[in-house]
Each structure stands twice: as structure tokens, then as C-alpha cells.
Amino acid sequence: MDLCHRLREAAQPHWNASVNHRFVDQLLEGKIADNVFGRYLVQDFHFCDSFVRLLGAAVCVADDPDARLTHARQLSVLAGSEYRYFIDSFAALNIPEAQWKNPELAEPTHAFIALMESACNSQDYAFILVVLVVAEWLYLEWAQRAQEPLPIRPEHRDWIVLHNEPDFVRWVNFLCNELNRVGAERDFETLSKPFIEASQIEQRFFDMAFEV
């Protein structure tokens, strides 16, 4: 079992609880309530700035030129199609600009931003990769549960497609391969601690969407 799969096993039951969360079930069925999905998207949008910083830190500290270019290319995806998705979805869900620009951040939002900032400030490539792997691989796994036909509404369908298209699969494979490479000689507990923490936060983040 490679390092990434060992880390995923260490993060149970939180990993599987997130991948198979009722939020995911309802999204894949196209039956998620607008207020639930809107609350989730508004909070998720506020990860973006810290996630940009995290990718930028990966560009700075990656030990391989090709890896630096791959991280840099992903920044353009975040600033392009994914950002556009959020703006279009806020409009479709009738979420006012003031609400999505300046919300009160939920506890798991604060927690994940803090973890990303900690990884950025560490300048530790393996730590940065751990947080990236959880954020991206976990989403790929739940999106791969989708069955045709996908939901009709674009805000549902496009969120699934964004996390299951071939380019995203290649991105996640790259991240896992990088973590397997640079983390091979690292202390397992040092890497598993933030991996588990990130997985726990992801579970709480899906829970948060249903809180009133």
C-alpha cells in the first residue's frame, strides 16, 4: 500500500463519511435543497483565496521544475472555470452579492483556512501536498460516485463535472504521486496528523451545510 492509501486508511472513518455524506447523496441525485447547497457554496468560495496561496506555496517550494509548472497551471483553473462556476451558481441560486462576499464564516471554514495557512507558512512541500491531496482526492472520490444521467440543473451538474473530468483526475493523480515521492522518507505520524485533521474538517464542512 502506497503512502497516500495508508494516509487515507489512517483518516477513517472520516474519509468515507465525507465521500458518502448525505450532502453528496443529495447532490448526485440533484435533490439537494437550494438553501443547503447555497450555504455550502458560499462557505466553500471563501476557501479560494487561501487555496490560491496554498498552490502558490507549492509552486515556490516544489523540488522539481515540472511539478512547479503543474501547480502553476492549476492556478489558472482555479482563477478561471472554477471561479466562474461560483459566480454563475450564486446568480442561479439568487444569493445576493453582499451575502457571498461577506458571510459569517462557519467553524469548519475557519478551521480549513487555518490549516491551509499553516501549510503555506511552513514552506514544507510534503505538508502542503497533504492538504492539497485531501482537498482534491476526497472530492474526486465522491464525484466518481456519480451515475448517468447527471442532475439537470447546471449548478449541481457542473460541480460534479468539475471534480470528475479527465484533467481533474490527472491533477489528483499528480498530487498523490508527488506526495508518495516526497513523503516516502518522512515520519508517517507527522504527515498523518494534518491528513486526518483535514479529513475531519471536510466531514464537518458537509455537516455544516445542513445547519440552520
Side-chain angles (χ1 to χ4, degrees):
M1 186 182 295
D2 64 29
L3 174 62
C4 283
H5 284 85
R6 289 172 61 210
L7 290 168
R8 186 178 63 176
E9 286 304 302
Q12 300 297 1
H14 309 290
W15 185 280
N16 282 349
S18 298
V19 170
N20 299 290
H21 199 282
R22 62 173 171 148
F23 177 92
V24 176
D25 292 342
Q26 292 176 16
L27 173 61
L28 297 182
E29 293 169 0
K31 296 179 180 178
I32 195 159
D34 283 358
N35 65 319
V36 171
F37 196 51
R39 187 178 302 116
Y40 162 89
L41 286 181
V42 166
Q43 295 293 316
D44 197 86
F45 181 71
H46 283 270
F47 286 149
C48 288
D49 185 55
S50 293
F51 202 78
V52 166
R53 287 195 65 219
L54 190 65
L55 283 172
V59 172
C60 288
V61 302
D63 59 349
D64 177 77
D66 289 339
R68 284 193 287 274
L69 286 173
T70 301
H71 289 297
R73 282 191 289 268
Q74 193 63 23
L75 277 167
S76 69
V77 174
L78 188 63
S81 58
E82 190 158 338
Y83 183 84
R84 185 74 255 164
Y85 165 82
F86 279 110
I87 303 306
D88 291 346
S89 294
F90 293 147
L93 293 166
N94 297 310
I95 299 173
E97 183 175 344
Q99 184 177 336
W100 59 259
K101 275 193 171 180
N102 298 293
E104 180 179 349
L105 298 186
E107 178 278 327
T109 310
H110 277 298
F112 207 78
I113 288 173
L115 182 61
M116 287 191 285
E117 295 295 320
S118 179
C120 284
N121 294 335
S122 74
Q123 294 293 289
D124 180 342
Y125 189 36
F127 183 7
I128 291 167
L129 285 168
V130 161
V131 180
L132 286 171
V133 164
V134 174
E136 304 288 55
W137 190 19
L138 190 149
Y139 268 55
L140 173 62
E141 285 212 344
W142 71 247
Q144 287 181 326
R145 294 181 50 213
Q147 301 290 323
E148 296 287 350
L150 295 178
I152 295 173
R153 289 178 61 176
E155 59 270 26
H156 299 161
R157 181 188 65 244
D158 292 352
W159 194 237
I160 298 166
V161 172
L162 273 170
H163 295 101
N164 197 17
E165 60 185 355
D167 283 346
F168 190 75
V169 174
R170 283 190 287 271
W171 164 239
V172 173
N173 287 338
F174 161 78
L175 290 174
C176 289
N177 288 335
E178 280 291 278
L179 183 53
N180 285 334
R181 179 179 67 84
V182 304
E185 304 303 321
R186 295 288 295 269
D187 175 66
F188 182 78
E189 186 174 353
T190 301
L191 298 180
S192 66
K193 183 177 179 181
F195 195 102
I196 293 167
E197 180 182 356
S199 301
Q200 291 171 331
I201 295 169
E202 292 285 8
Q203 182 180 354
R204 299 202 305 274
F205 193 76
F206 285 140
D207 291 340
M208 170 276 303
F210 293 93
E211 295 171 1
V212 178

